[in-house]
Amino acid sequence: MLSVIIGISSALIYGAADFLGGTASRRISPVRVTAVAAAAGLVALLITLPFVGGAWSTEAVLLGALSGVTGAVAIGLLYACLAIGPMSILSPLTAVVSAIVPLTIGLVGGERLQPIDYLALGLALVAVVLVGFVPEKGAVRPSLRGVLMAVGSGAAIGLFLVIIDQTPDDSGLVPLVVNRAVGAALLFAVVGLLALRRSSRSQSDRIETPAAAWLPGLRLAILCGIVDAVANTGLLIGLRLGELSVMAVLTALYPAGTIILAAVVLKERIAPVQIVGLVLAVAAGAMLALA
């Protein structure tokens, strides 16, 4: 039951981080937002590490670094596919794939669940689709490129879950610290390459000042990184206590957190289909907790 509670809570916290990141991305470049968020998450984890502890080992460092690479790839593909759109299709597709990949790996790897667990996981997958469905007027069919990017992003997120699940039990926050360090390095490298590309443009083009490029969404990006680090910590604890297959599906409910915050803060209307999804998510969580 505790792992189920942690899984659902982590999903909602991930959704809150996405809300903050999305809001910040309306003010500055999404790439800059993710880079700053990664750095802020790293600082938060480094501050927490002495209190939580964790054994440094070659396995923990290598798996943490690999998860950092998959995380950076996942974020890059996610923003790219959502930019192509339509979000109403590609967003839930990414979430579903992110659940199916570790779910399949976990079951193939020998995880054994009760019949009610399979029913609950099926309901949760349906809930992921319904919760992530954002009605858009005049939405068009996704392009093959957009679909492939969404599938790639979801697969990368799923692999991130699998890799973190394989980290040593005594490693504590070490894998997440390495994850954030590698992710931040990769993302700031991308920011640097984009800056060099812009600087090579003709002098007649308008080039942003450093303040204009970073400051408008800086606080939100920092908060996004801290909240995301909290969600990752919850995910790690949930994986230590429960099954990969269950945590993967519950974590994929992260759009619920974004939707709830958007409704409360931005007064956005929650569609009836999303309400159905939220109800199914609660029902699935209850079934998993009672199993």
Side-chain angles (χ1 to χ4, degrees):
M1 181 179 293
L2 182 58
S3 63
V4 173
I5 295 174
I6 293 175
I8 294 176
S9 300
S10 296
L12 294 175
I13 297 172
Y14 273 124
D18 287 347
F19 174 81
L20 292 168
T23 304
S25 295
R26 294 180 178 179
R27 305 180 183 184
I28 61 176
S29 165
V31 177
R32 292 181 178 128
V33 171
T34 52
V36 170
L42 174 61
V43 172
L45 289 170
L46 286 173
I47 293 174
T48 309
L49 182 61
F51 302 97
V52 177
W56 289 82
S57 65
T58 301
E59 185 179 7
V61 172
L62 290 178
L63 289 175
L66 186 57
S67 72
V69 174
T70 58
V73 171
I75 292 174
L77 289 175
L78 178 62
Y79 277 115
C81 76
L82 293 182
I84 295 174
M87 291 185 183
S88 58
I89 296 176
L90 297 180
S91 177
L93 175 60
T94 300
V96 170
V97 174
S98 73
I100 290 177
V101 170
L103 173 61
T104 302
I105 293 175
L107 295 178
V108 171
E111 291 185 358
R112 294 293 179 262
L113 303 176
Q114 300 297 322
I116 190 175
D117 293 326
Y118 290 104
L119 177 59
L121 293 178
L123 284 179
L125 287 174
V126 173
V128 169
V129 176
L130 297 180
V131 167
F133 182 81
V134 182
E136 295 180 355
K137 294 182 178 179
V140 297
R141 292 183 179 181
S143 65
L144 177 60
R145 181 185 178 191
V147 169
L148 291 177
M149 284 184 172
V151 172
S153 176
I157 294 172
L159 287 175
F160 163 78
L161 293 172
V162 173
I163 294 168
I164 289 297
D165 183 56
Q166 296 298 314
T167 56
D169 291 339
D170 63 350
S171 60
L173 294 179
V174 170
L176 295 182
V177 169
V178 179
N179 169 284
R180 279 293 176 265
V182 172
L186 289 174
L187 290 167
F188 273 106
V190 172
V191 171
L193 290 174
L194 292 176
L196 288 175
R197 182 179 178 182
R198 283 194 302 272
S199 66
S200 65
R201 296 181 305 181
S202 63
Q203 295 297 321
S204 60
D205 290 337
R206 178 180 178 271
I207 300 178
E208 293 179 317
T209 63
W214 294 92
L215 290 182
L218 186 60
R219 291 182 180 179
L220 288 174
I222 292 174
L223 185 57
C224 169
I226 296 173
V227 173
D228 187 68
V230 173
N232 279 329
T233 302
L235 169 67
L236 185 63
I237 296 173
L239 288 172
R240 295 281 185 265
L241 296 175
E243 302 286 355
L244 170 63
S245 54
V246 174
M247 286 298 297
V249 175
L250 293 179
T251 304
L253 291 168
Y254 62 84
T258 306
I259 292 168
I260 292 172
L261 275 178
V264 174
V265 178
L266 302 180
K267 308 302 179 183
E268 292 185 0
R269 187 180 69 88
I270 300 179
V273 67
Q274 294 173 315
I275 295 176
V276 173
L278 291 173
V279 172
L280 288 179
V282 173
M287 291 171 64
L288 288 170
L290 296 174

